[in-house]
Amino acid sequence: LERHERAAMGSIIGKITEELPRHEVLAKTASYEIRRYAPCVVAETGFQSTKGMFEGDQGNSFMRLAGFIGVMAKPKNEQAAPIAMTAPVLMNKASDEGSYKMAFFLPASRFARAADAPTPTDPKVTIKDVPSRTVAVATFSGNMRAALIAEKDRDLRAALAKDGVSPKAGAEVMAAGYNPPRKTW
């Protein structure tokens, strides 16, 4: 018998207790890190917003993903299998104007590929394999708001340019939230 703990959200003040995506730090400066992330599996959903990535339906999208893993209710997947909450929660633009995506990483300790994960019962939730990738990361504290993310994106791109690092053509910002919104800074 495989034992799985009930999915729950929470943290110890000042410490992230959820499983994080596996990665290696390739380079580190005062402004950013270059990280190589291992392949992983995400549960993803989309939402529409005329107000941007951080205003609109993202709360419903979060609850849709939380429902899939079984936060505060019976898991909404075909196996009714609870899945532990991980960090971070990712948000980024989708291909259509006014469309955005939100994703939860599934625990790598349980799911090596999308086919290993339970099937969502909500058709708005999809399970995807994410290949290994190299990313530039700037960490900061504060609420995820469009103006702050845009400022941090500009700062990161400027620091990369100063160091002669060229982002991949078309590279877009992804916002990664590591703490619940109620966390005090």
Side-chain angles (χ1 to χ4, degrees), residues 56 102 138 141:
M102 179 180 286
S141 295

Side-chain angles (χ1 to χ4, degrees), residues 38 40 44 50 71 93 131 146 171 180:
C40 62
E44 184 178 85
T50 57
V71 172
K93 288 182 181 178

Side-chain angles (χ1 to χ4, degrees), residues 48 55 83 94:
Q48 300 289 316
E55 306 286 334
I83 300 168

Side-chain angles (χ1 to χ4, degrees), residues 118-143:
T119 302
T121 55
D122 184 334
K124 292 182 179 179
V125 175
T126 58
I127 306 301
K128 291 177 46 177
D129 286 306
V130 178
S132 62
R133 65 236 173 264
T134 301
V135 299
V137 177
T139 61
F140 58 93
S141 295
N143 289 326

Side-chain angles (χ1 to χ4, degrees), residues 74-99:
K74 180 181 175 186
K76 294 181 180 177
N77 59 65
E78 287 184 357
Q79 293 81 4
I83 300 168
M85 184 71 189
T86 61
V89 174
L90 285 180
M91 292 174 59
N92 64 301
K93 288 182 181 178
S95 55
D96 297 332
E97 185 66 31
S99 297

